[in-house]
Amino acid sequence: IPKGTKIMTSTWAMKKKSNGKYRGRLNLRGFQQRDGEHFVSSSISSPVPNETSVRIALVMLALCPEWIAVIEDVEGAFLQGEFKDGEVIYMEVPEGWEEFYEADTVLLLNKPIYGTKQGAACFYKKLVETVQGKFYQRCQAEPCLYYRWKNGRLVMMLSWIDDNLIM
């Protein structure tokens, strides 16, 4: 580890699901990240759709009864992205996992995890690459709207962070 590098800590977020099971999520304590060392402040945001775009999509659904809509949540979304070159984060071994590592072990993150400042932006970049790889075109006026023609029918996808409305 380079001298003077800040080693990040993490915390667990636990949630009881409706089926009675618990879900645990490891979150980096992103408030400890340093601009210029762990991220670049100009690249930590991802766009969300304009309120007007969402309303137009919902009106189209209401006016076209033959249209089908599905709301999809991308599971593990923030784990899908990739750091930009030069973004390096070292993290202490998470609580509860110390017994599996030697005492002075530090982890190097290969991908963003929940809590990283750039997590949403990294996921958005990966989403754009994936969607455009599936022959969708990005709307010039709305960066969160993708569309394509399939079998003579229009398919639209409106995304906001890790949720998608597909019509």
Tab-separated table of all heavy atoms in Angstrom, residues 51-92:
chain	number	residue	atom	x	y	z
A	51	GLU	N	-38.790	14.743	-14.739
A	51	GLU	CA	-40.174	14.467	-14.324
A	51	GLU	C	-41.117	14.430	-15.530
A	51	GLU	O	-42.019	13.594	-15.606
A	51	GLU	CB	-40.630	15.539	-13.335
A	51	GLU	CG	-42.046	15.339	-12.834
A	51	GLU	CD	-42.477	16.444	-11.885
A	51	GLU	OE1	-41.633	17.231	-11.424
A	51	GLU	OE2	-43.682	16.509	-11.613
A	52	THR	N	-40.888	15.293	-16.501
A	52	THR	CA	-41.725	15.329	-17.698
A	52	THR	C	-41.608	14.029	-18.485
A	52	THR	O	-42.608	13.503	-18.989
A	52	THR	CB	-41.331	16.528	-18.590
A	52	THR	OG1	-41.418	17.724	-17.812
A	52	THR	CG2	-42.226	16.636	-19.798
A	53	SER	N	-40.422	13.468	-18.581
A	53	SER	CA	-40.230	12.208	-19.298
A	53	SER	C	-40.998	11.072	-18.637
A	53	SER	O	-41.606	10.237	-19.310
A	53	SER	CB	-38.749	11.846	-19.358
A	53	SER	OG	-38.033	12.845	-20.035
A	54	VAL	N	-40.966	11.036	-17.320
A	54	VAL	CA	-41.702	10.001	-16.593
A	54	VAL	C	-43.203	10.167	-16.833
A	54	VAL	O	-43.910	9.192	-17.100
A	54	VAL	CB	-41.382	10.055	-15.086
A	54	VAL	CG1	-42.236	9.069	-14.308
A	54	VAL	CG2	-39.898	9.783	-14.849
A	55	ARG	N	-43.679	11.388	-16.778
A	55	ARG	CA	-45.117	11.635	-17.000
A	55	ARG	C	-45.542	11.251	-18.420
A	55	ARG	O	-46.597	10.664	-18.622
A	55	ARG	CB	-45.451	13.097	-16.728
A	55	ARG	CG	-45.416	13.424	-15.263
A	55	ARG	CD	-45.770	14.868	-15.011
A	55	ARG	NE	-45.697	15.144	-13.591
A	55	ARG	CZ	-46.366	16.093	-12.998
A	55	ARG	NH1	-47.163	16.876	-13.697
A	55	ARG	NH2	-46.247	16.284	-11.709
A	56	ILE	N	-44.713	11.581	-19.408
A	56	ILE	CA	-45.037	11.220	-20.794
A	56	ILE	C	-45.092	9.704	-20.941
A	56	ILE	O	-46.002	9.161	-21.575
A	56	ILE	CB	-44.013	11.835	-21.774
A	56	ILE	CG1	-44.218	13.351	-21.847
A	56	ILE	CG2	-44.137	11.215	-23.157
A	56	ILE	CD1	-43.132	14.086	-22.610
A	57	ALA	N	-44.152	9.009	-20.322
A	57	ALA	CA	-44.154	7.543	-20.386
A	57	ALA	C	-45.427	6.975	-19.765
A	57	ALA	O	-46.054	6.062	-20.325
A	57	ALA	CB	-42.917	6.979	-19.681
A	58	LEU	N	-45.831	7.514	-18.635
A	58	LEU	CA	-47.051	7.023	-17.979
A	58	LEU	C	-48.309	7.353	-18.777
A	58	LEU	O	-49.239	6.538	-18.849
A	58	LEU	CB	-47.145	7.589	-16.556
A	58	LEU	CG	-46.037	7.130	-15.601
A	58	LEU	CD1	-46.150	7.836	-14.266
A	58	LEU	CD2	-46.056	5.620	-15.436
A	59	VAL	N	-48.331	8.512	-19.423
A	59	VAL	CA	-49.472	8.870	-20.277
A	59	VAL	C	-49.535	7.927	-21.474
A	59	VAL	O	-50.617	7.464	-21.861
A	59	VAL	CB	-49.385	10.347	-20.726
A	59	VAL	CG1	-50.355	10.644	-21.856
A	59	VAL	CG2	-49.652	11.267	-19.544
A	60	MET	N	-48.383	7.616	-22.060
A	60	MET	CA	-48.359	6.682	-23.193
A	60	MET	C	-48.892	5.321	-22.779
A	60	MET	O	-49.641	4.676	-23.526
A	60	MET	CB	-46.936	6.566	-23.752
A	60	MET	CG	-46.478	7.824	-24.461
A	60	MET	SD	-44.755	7.753	-24.978
A	60	MET	CE	-44.849	6.573	-26.296
A	61	LEU	N	-48.544	4.880	-21.592
A	61	LEU	CA	-49.058	3.605	-21.092
A	61	LEU	C	-50.575	3.659	-20.905
A	61	LEU	O	-51.292	2.706	-21.216
A	61	LEU	CB	-48.404	3.235	-19.766
A	61	LEU	CG	-47.024	2.632	-19.858
A	61	LEU	CD1	-46.398	2.512	-18.478
A	61	LEU	CD2	-47.078	1.272	-20.525
A	62	ALA	N	-51.060	4.781	-20.396
A	62	ALA	CA	-52.503	4.918	-20.171
A	62	ALA	C	-53.279	4.986	-21.486
A	62	ALA	O	-54.389	4.464	-21.590
A	62	ALA	CB	-52.781	6.169	-19.333
A	63	LEU	N	-52.694	5.618	-22.505
A	63	LEU	CA	-53.393	5.788	-23.779
A	63	LEU	C	-53.258	4.594	-24.721
A	63	LEU	O	-54.008	4.492	-25.688
A	63	LEU	CB	-52.881	7.048	-24.487
A	63	LEU	CG	-53.187	8.375	-23.788
A	63	LEU	CD1	-52.554	9.527	-24.544
A	63	LEU	CD2	-54.687	8.576	-23.647
A	64	CYS	N	-52.309	3.725	-24.466
A	64	CYS	CA	-52.073	2.565	-25.332
A	64	CYS	C	-52.298	1.283	-24.532
A	64	CYS	O	-51.351	0.733	-23.954
A	64	CYS	CB	-50.656	2.599	-25.890
A	64	CYS	SG	-50.271	4.099	-26.807
A	65	PRO	N	-53.548	0.794	-24.496
A	65	PRO	CA	-53.838	-0.384	-23.665
A	65	PRO	C	-53.113	-1.653	-24.110
A	65	PRO	O	-52.964	-2.581	-23.317
A	65	PRO	CB	-55.351	-0.544	-23.794
A	65	PRO	CG	-55.741	0.208	-25.010
A	65	PRO	CD	-54.727	1.285	-25.200
A	66	GLU	N	-52.619	-1.687	-25.351
A	66	GLU	CA	-51.910	-2.884	-25.814
A	66	GLU	C	-50.454	-2.909	-25.333
A	66	GLU	O	-49.780	-3.926	-25.464
A	66	GLU	CB	-51.968	-3.007	-27.344
A	66	GLU	CG	-51.201	-1.952	-28.107
A	66	GLU	CD	-51.963	-0.645	-28.330
A	66	GLU	OE1	-53.102	-0.499	-27.856
A	66	GLU	OE2	-51.401	0.237	-28.980
A	67	TRP	N	-49.987	-1.812	-24.784
A	67	TRP	CA	-48.623	-1.767	-24.279
A	67	TRP	C	-48.519	-2.519	-22.957
A	67	TRP	O	-49.440	-2.520	-22.143
A	67	TRP	CB	-48.181	-0.321	-24.072
A	67	TRP	CG	-47.680	0.340	-25.323
A	67	TRP	CD1	-48.096	0.104	-26.587
A	67	TRP	CD2	-46.695	1.355	-25.407
A	67	TRP	NE1	-47.424	0.916	-27.459
A	67	TRP	CE2	-46.555	1.697	-26.761
A	67	TRP	CE3	-45.918	2.012	-24.467
A	67	TRP	CZ2	-45.658	2.658	-27.190
A	67	TRP	CZ3	-45.038	2.979	-24.895
A	67	TRP	CH2	-44.912	3.289	-26.257
A	68	ILE	N	-47.397	-3.127	-22.753
A	68	ILE	CA	-47.106	-3.840	-21.507
A	68	ILE	C	-45.953	-3.114	-20.839
A	68	ILE	O	-44.992	-2.721	-21.500
A	68	ILE	CB	-46.720	-5.306	-21.798
A	68	ILE	CG1	-47.866	-6.024	-22.485
A	68	ILE	CG2	-46.311	-6.013	-20.518
A	68	ILE	CD1	-47.479	-7.388	-23.019
A	69	ALA	N	-46.031	-2.963	-19.539
A	69	ALA	CA	-44.959	-2.298	-18.794
A	69	ALA	C	-44.452	-3.202	-17.687
A	69	ALA	O	-45.221	-3.905	-17.042
A	69	ALA	CB	-45.459	-0.991	-18.203
A	70	VAL	N	-43.146	-3.170	-17.493
A	70	VAL	CA	-42.502	-3.937	-16.436
A	70	VAL	C	-41.527	-3.005	-15.723
A	70	VAL	O	-40.761	-2.298	-16.374
A	70	VAL	CB	-41.727	-5.144	-17.021
A	70	VAL	CG1	-40.987	-5.884	-15.923
A	70	VAL	CG2	-42.654	-6.072	-17.770
A	71	ILE	N	-41.595	-3.008	-14.400
A	71	ILE	CA	-40.606	-2.265	-13.627
A	71	ILE	C	-39.603	-3.285	-13.110
A	71	ILE	O	-39.975	-4.287	-12.499
A	71	ILE	CB	-41.243	-1.482	-12.471
A	71	ILE	CG1	-42.152	-0.392	-13.030
A	71	ILE	CG2	-40.162	-0.885	-11.572
A	71	ILE	CD1	-42.837	0.447	-11.985
A	72	GLU	N	-38.351	-3.035	-13.388
A	72	GLU	CA	-37.286	-3.979	-13.078
A	72	GLU	C	-36.271	-3.315	-12.158
A	72	GLU	O	-35.861	-2.188	-12.395
A	72	GLU	CB	-36.629	-4.387	-14.399
A	72	GLU	CG	-35.442	-5.266	-14.276
A	72	GLU	CD	-34.802	-5.480	-15.640
A	72	GLU	OE1	-34.009	-4.608	-16.048
A	72	GLU	OE2	-35.097	-6.493	-16.275
A	73	ASP	N	-35.897	-4.032	-11.112
A	73	ASP	CA	-34.855	-3.559	-10.208
A	73	ASP	C	-33.598	-4.382	-10.487
A	73	ASP	O	-33.652	-5.607	-10.507
A	73	ASP	CB	-35.292	-3.745	-8.752
A	73	ASP	CG	-34.218	-3.323	-7.772
A	73	ASP	OD1	-33.718	-2.192	-7.888
A	73	ASP	OD2	-33.863	-4.131	-6.896
A	74	VAL	N	-32.493	-3.724	-10.718
A	74	VAL	CA	-31.243	-4.425	-10.985
A	74	VAL	C	-30.629	-4.813	-9.645
A	74	VAL	O	-30.234	-3.948	-8.865
A	74	VAL	CB	-30.264	-3.547	-11.791
A	74	VAL	CG1	-28.958	-4.275	-12.029
A	74	VAL	CG2	-30.893	-3.107	-13.089
A	75	GLU	N	-30.571	-6.107	-9.377
A	75	GLU	CA	-30.006	-6.575	-8.117
A	75	GLU	C	-28.484	-6.430	-8.145
A	75	GLU	O	-27.837	-6.724	-9.132
A	75	GLU	CB	-30.390	-8.030	-7.875
A	75	GLU	CG	-31.860	-8.205	-7.585
A	75	GLU	CD	-32.205	-9.600	-7.122
A	75	GLU	OE1	-31.308	-10.302	-6.620
A	75	GLU	OE2	-33.376	-9.973	-7.265
A	76	GLY	N	-27.941	-5.969	-7.041
A	76	GLY	CA	-26.498	-5.803	-6.951
A	76	GLY	C	-25.967	-4.781	-7.934
A	76	GLY	O	-24.831	-4.903	-8.407
A	77	ALA	N	-26.769	-3.775	-8.231
A	77	ALA	CA	-26.418	-2.813	-9.277
A	77	ALA	C	-25.061	-2.157	-9.055
A	77	ALA	O	-24.245	-2.092	-9.970
A	77	ALA	CB	-27.503	-1.739	-9.376
A	78	PHE	N	-24.808	-1.691	-7.852
A	78	PHE	CA	-23.577	-0.938	-7.628
A	78	PHE	C	-22.355	-1.843	-7.625
A	78	PHE	O	-21.230	-1.370	-7.597
A	78	PHE	CB	-23.661	-0.157	-6.330
A	78	PHE	CG	-24.590	1.029	-6.397
A	78	PHE	CD1	-25.547	1.146	-7.384
A	78	PHE	CD2	-24.489	2.033	-5.463
A	78	PHE	CE1	-26.391	2.227	-7.445
A	78	PHE	CE2	-25.341	3.134	-5.516
A	78	PHE	CZ	-26.291	3.230	-6.508
A	79	LEU	N	-22.565	-3.150	-7.661
A	79	LEU	CA	-21.452	-4.095	-7.727
A	79	LEU	C	-21.088	-4.409	-9.175
A	79	LEU	O	-20.136	-5.130	-9.434
A	79	LEU	CB	-21.823	-5.393	-6.999
A	79	LEU	CG	-22.312	-5.219	-5.566
A	79	LEU	CD1	-22.762	-6.554	-5.000
A	79	LEU	CD2	-21.241	-4.588	-4.692
A	80	GLN	N	-21.848	-3.885	-10.129
A	80	GLN	CA	-21.641	-4.194	-11.545
A	80	GLN	C	-20.654	-3.265	-12.233
A	80	GLN	O	-20.093	-3.599	-13.259
A	80	GLN	CB	-22.975	-4.130	-12.310
A	80	GLN	CG	-24.073	-4.979	-11.735
A	80	GLN	CD	-23.740	-6.442	-11.715
A	80	GLN	OE1	-23.117	-6.954	-12.633
A	80	GLN	NE2	-24.135	-7.125	-10.668
A	81	GLY	N	-20.482	-2.074	-11.697
A	81	GLY	CA	-19.626	-1.083	-12.348
A	81	GLY	C	-18.150	-1.402	-12.197
A	81	GLY	O	-17.757	-2.402	-11.587
A	82	GLU	N	-17.340	-0.544	-12.765
A	82	GLU	CA	-15.888	-0.691	-12.673
A	82	GLU	C	-15.271	0.666	-12.390
A	82	GLU	O	-15.734	1.684	-12.888
A	82	GLU	CB	-15.333	-1.268	-13.974
A	82	GLU	CG	-15.841	-2.662	-14.254
A	82	GLU	CD	-15.336	-3.232	-15.565
A	82	GLU	OE1	-14.445	-2.610	-16.171
A	82	GLU	OE2	-15.850	-4.279	-15.962
A	83	PHE	N	-14.214	0.654	-11.589
A	83	PHE	CA	-13.518	1.896	-11.294
A	83	PHE	C	-12.864	2.441	-12.546
A	83	PHE	O	-12.460	1.692	-13.432
A	83	PHE	CB	-12.420	1.667	-10.239
A	83	PHE	CG	-12.928	1.452	-8.849
A	83	PHE	CD1	-12.583	0.316	-8.147
A	83	PHE	CD2	-13.736	2.386	-8.235
A	83	PHE	CE1	-13.024	0.118	-6.850
A	83	PHE	CE2	-14.193	2.194	-6.944
A	83	PHE	CZ	-13.838	1.055	-6.257
A	84	LYS	N	-12.721	3.757	-12.601
A	84	LYS	CA	-11.944	4.378	-13.671
A	84	LYS	C	-10.469	4.172	-13.360
A	84	LYS	O	-10.089	3.911	-12.213
A	84	LYS	CB	-12.247	5.881	-13.738
A	84	LYS	CG	-13.629	6.198	-14.220
A	84	LYS	CD	-13.807	7.696	-14.311
A	84	LYS	CE	-15.184	8.012	-14.861
A	84	LYS	NZ	-15.405	9.443	-14.946
A	85	ASP	N	-9.652	4.311	-14.384
A	85	ASP	CA	-8.205	4.186	-14.174
A	85	ASP	C	-7.756	5.202	-13.128
A	85	ASP	O	-8.152	6.366	-13.159
A	85	ASP	CB	-7.450	4.430	-15.485
A	85	ASP	CG	-7.650	3.294	-16.477
A	85	ASP	OD1	-7.977	2.173	-16.038
A	85	ASP	OD2	-7.476	3.520	-17.685
A	86	GLY	N	-6.962	4.747	-12.208
A	86	GLY	CA	-6.438	5.628	-11.179
A	86	GLY	C	-7.248	5.643	-9.905
A	86	GLY	O	-6.776	6.132	-8.881
A	87	GLU	N	-8.473	5.131	-9.928
A	87	GLU	CA	-9.282	5.078	-8.717
A	87	GLU	C	-8.952	3.787	-7.969
A	87	GLU	O	-9.225	2.690	-8.450
A	87	GLU	CB	-10.775	5.127	-9.046
A	87	GLU	CG	-11.228	6.441	-9.608
A	87	GLU	CD	-12.704	6.482	-9.933
A	87	GLU	OE1	-13.329	5.425	-10.132
A	87	GLU	OE2	-13.239	7.593	-10.001
A	88	VAL	N	-8.346	3.941	-6.815
A	88	VAL	CA	-7.928	2.795	-6.022
A	88	VAL	C	-8.455	2.983	-4.611
A	88	VAL	O	-8.271	4.041	-4.002
A	88	VAL	CB	-6.385	2.671	-5.996
A	88	VAL	CG1	-5.942	1.520	-5.120
A	88	VAL	CG2	-5.837	2.521	-7.407
A	89	ILE	N	-9.107	1.943	-4.099
A	89	ILE	CA	-9.634	1.993	-2.729
A	89	ILE	C	-9.170	0.764	-1.970
A	89	ILE	O	-9.373	-0.370	-2.405
A	89	ILE	CB	-11.172	2.079	-2.722
A	89	ILE	CG1	-11.633	3.385	-3.371
A	89	ILE	CG2	-11.713	1.972	-1.296
A	89	ILE	CD1	-13.129	3.568	-3.425
A	90	TYR	N	-8.543	1.018	-0.829
A	90	TYR	CA	-8.159	-0.038	0.094
A	90	TYR	C	-9.136	0.007	1.261
A	90	TYR	O	-9.527	1.083	1.717
A	90	TYR	CB	-6.734	0.175	0.612
A	90	TYR	CG	-5.682	0.025	-0.460
A	90	TYR	CD1	-5.165	1.133	-1.121
A	90	TYR	CD2	-5.209	-1.238	-0.814
A	90	TYR	CE1	-4.206	0.994	-2.103
A	90	TYR	CE2	-4.242	-1.392	-1.798
A	90	TYR	CZ	-3.752	-0.266	-2.440
A	90	TYR	OH	-2.801	-0.416	-3.413
A	91	MET	N	-9.514	-1.169	1.755
A	91	MET	CA	-10.510	-1.245	2.805
A	91	MET	C	-10.074	-2.243	3.874
A	91	MET	O	-9.467	-3.275	3.567
A	91	MET	CB	-11.847	-1.702	2.189
A	91	MET	CG	-12.982	-1.790	3.157
A	91	MET	SD	-14.523	-2.297	2.348
A	91	MET	CE	-14.290	-4.069	2.294
A	92	GLU	N	-10.393	-1.921	5.112
A	92	GLU	CA	-10.146	-2.853	6.204
A	92	GLU	C	-11.018	-4.090	6.000
A	92	GLU	O	-12.059	-4.028	5.348
A	92	GLU	CB	-10.500	-2.216	7.549
A	92	GLU	CG	-9.590	-1.108	7.975
A	92	GLU	CD	-10.015	-0.505	9.314
A	92	GLU	OE1	-11.040	-0.938	9.896
A	92	GLU	OE2	-9.322	0.410	9.758
